[in-house]
Amino acid sequence: MKNPIYEEKVNKFMAYIMAKNPAELEFHQAVREVVESIVPYIEENPIYTEERILERICEPERVIIFRVPWIDDKGNIQVNRGFRIEMNSAIGPYKGGLRFHPTVNLGILKFLAFEQVFKNSLTTLPMGGGKGGSDFDPKGKSEKEVMRFCQSFMTELCKHIGPNTDVPAGDIGVGGREIGYLFGQYKRIRNEFTGVLTGKNILWGGSLIRPEATGYGNVYFAQEMLKTRGETFEGKIVAVSGSGNVAQFTIEKVNELGGKCVTLSDSNGFIYDPKGIDSEKLKYIMWLKNEKRGRMKEYADKYACDYFPDERPWGIKCDVALPSATENEINGEQAKTLVKNGCICVSEGANMPSTPEAIEVYLAAKILFGPGKAANAGGVATSGLEMTQNSMRLSWTREEVDGRLQTIMKNIHKTCHKYGTKEDGFINYVDGANIGGFVKVADSMIAQGAV
Ligand code: GLU
């Protein structure tokens, strides 16, 4: 984005956003990325300026902040802060995950809720955007402490959500266990068995493929990108970060397609296993992370591979990188290393894992870059399919859900292609996803008046 007229408009708008939302750095980062894509588009379509769509879309419809007191195993009172950002309901009920992590604050959740609006729009399903969570750290807490926390959190949240109002799900620190405790408390207080949360257990209203969906969806999206250059996953060396739900099912799908995943990470460091993380090792990781709730260092000890404390895997030579941990986990220098080592594709399983400097490096090198709001939309898309099944009181087979997920990821790729293809044929998926996600929401907002 080098046009000085556009640059001036972006800077002016960002000055307004920064003054209005001080100290919310990640929110500023997410807004700037979108606005850089959108400004040239709205210059050609002045209705969006007349309708003040940018100002409106950056202002949450509602923000709920609440106290979450709970009793730890020693009988002491603990206090955390709970949030729900109801960002935009132009195309459907607010929809988006809950994150339980000590780094959670208003700015982090606003960035996530903002991204969610565009991501959900790209899925083509009728879902608005929201996000919530708490600065509660599930790490090191007992089962009962997690349960008491979830119950207290839902005691307040249940006043604000509902299957036609706002439908939360999981994110970092919120998996099947937490969704169970949250659902149980909602049902108890509201006396309603309803699809108010997604990511539920298959026994009580969940959807098949929902656990797999974010990881599988990201691989399907990367597959579509690779196809544009006549490439496949067959024989590719793949660097994956994270070790939670997204990373685990990313590995499963890459293995199925003949690629080899050689890295994984957690907040303490990363493992490098040049022989590849096969299905047996993956089974161990699932046990280690989902049941034992241990650390990746234990994998390195068990399989005698290298472990790099306090580092990220981007220095390892790979063909494809699938960041699946958290925001800002690849900086400009690391992106340069990836490109220098021959990486041809970066597809984001996490939300905003690449810094703006890293994105600049990918785009300058013209490698395939799938931003999270397109590439990881398979998770929330399958949440949308869970909502549909709940409404019908029916459940689909694995094949049915997986087939729909694949179609959705292909369609998101098509949308990016439509809005992101440049004169020289290069597909800028950042512009494609931002403009493609924006148009549907903006047009719906206009149709519904100044609300
Ligand atoms: N937390 C996931 C995301 O970032 C999933 C949200 C959902 O399923 O509602 O999209």
Side-chain angles (χ1 to χ4, degrees), residues 80-235:
N80 285 99
R81 185 172 292 170
F83 302 85
R84 187 70 185 167
I85 318 296
E86 296 183 336
M87 198 75 189
N88 195 301
S89 64
I91 63 167
Y94 309 106
K95 180 83 197 87
L98 297 170
R99 177 176 291 191
F100 292 168
H101 194 269
T103 56
V104 162
N105 58 38
L106 183 61
I108 293 271
L109 293 180
K110 277 174 67 180
F111 118 64
L112 289 163
F114 183 74
E115 292 269 305
Q116 201 81 43
V117 172
F118 299 86
K119 184 193 316 196
N120 293 5
S121 164
L122 284 168
T123 68
T124 69
L125 301 176
M127 299 182 291
K131 202 88 187 190
S134 174
D135 57 359
F136 173 75
D137 187 358
K139 212 189 307 164
K141 302 290 188 300
S142 72
E143 286 279 326
K144 291 289 179 288
E145 286 176 327
V146 170
M147 183 178 78
R148 287 194 293 271
F149 173 79
C150 288
Q151 290 177 337
S152 179
F153 183 85
M154 184 52 89
T155 300
E156 177 59 33
L157 188 69
C158 76
K159 300 170 192 165
H160 310 283
I161 62 175
N164 297 311
T165 308
D166 184 354
V167 183
D171 195 80
I172 294 171
V174 178
R177 172 181 68 170
E178 290 75 17
I179 293 293
Y181 296 147
L182 292 163
F183 185 79
Q185 185 74 350
Y186 180 91
K187 184 161 58 69
R188 183 178 180 205
I189 299 177
R190 300 278 300 254
N191 195 22
E192 278 175 8
F193 193 111
T194 182
V196 65
L197 293 164
T198 61
K200 299 186 291 300
N201 190 295
I202 191 71
L203 299 175
W204 35 272
S207 173
L208 290 167
I209 301 289
R210 178 63 191 88
E212 292 88 340
T214 312
Y216 279 19
N218 187 27
V219 177
Y220 294 147
F221 191 82
Q223 221 181 351
E224 289 302 304
M225 291 200 291
L226 288 168
K227 227 190 258 175
T228 65
R229 303 213 176 158
E231 295 274 4
T232 68
F233 267 101
E234 184 70 44

Side-chain angles (χ1 to χ4, degrees), residues 389-400:
Q389 294 168 81
N390 291 164
S391 299
M392 295 192 302
R393 298 188 190 280
L394 282 174
S395 36
W396 289 327
T397 61
R398 280 183 80 81
E399 291 70 29
E400 172 84 37

Side-chain angles (χ1 to χ4, degrees), residues 218-261:
N218 187 27
V219 177
Y220 294 147
F221 191 82
Q223 221 181 351
E224 289 302 304
M225 291 200 291
L226 288 168
K227 227 190 258 175
T228 65
R229 303 213 176 158
E231 295 274 4
T232 68
F233 267 101
E234 184 70 44
K236 295 280 184 299
I237 303 294
V238 181
V240 182
S241 63
S243 48
N245 165 273
V246 181
Q248 293 170 16
F249 288 105
T250 296
I251 293 182
E252 187 167 283
K253 189 51 77 177
V254 169
N255 285 348
E256 203 182 291
L257 297 175
K260 184 158 92 172
C261 298

Side-chain angles (χ1 to χ4, degrees), residues 236-244 247-266 270-289 296 299-300 302-303 305-306 313 316 322:
K236 295 280 184 299
I237 303 294
V238 181
V240 182
S241 63
S243 48
Q248 293 170 16
F249 288 105
T250 296
I251 293 182
E252 187 167 283
K253 189 51 77 177
V254 169
N255 285 348
E256 203 182 291
L257 297 175
K260 184 158 92 172
C261 298
V262 294
T263 63
L264 273 178
S265 67
D266 61 23
F270 82 91
I271 60 110
Y272 173 46
D273 187 347
K275 291 198 213 94
I277 302 166
D278 61 20
S279 60
E280 192 211 301
K281 292 173 181 170
L282 180 59
K283 214 187 268 171
Y284 169 75
I285 292 162
M286 288 178 170
W287 170 81
L288 176 68
K289 300 305 292 187
M296 284 314 292
Y299 176 100
K302 183 172 165 74
Y303 293 108
C305 71
D306 285 335
I316 299 296
L322 303 174

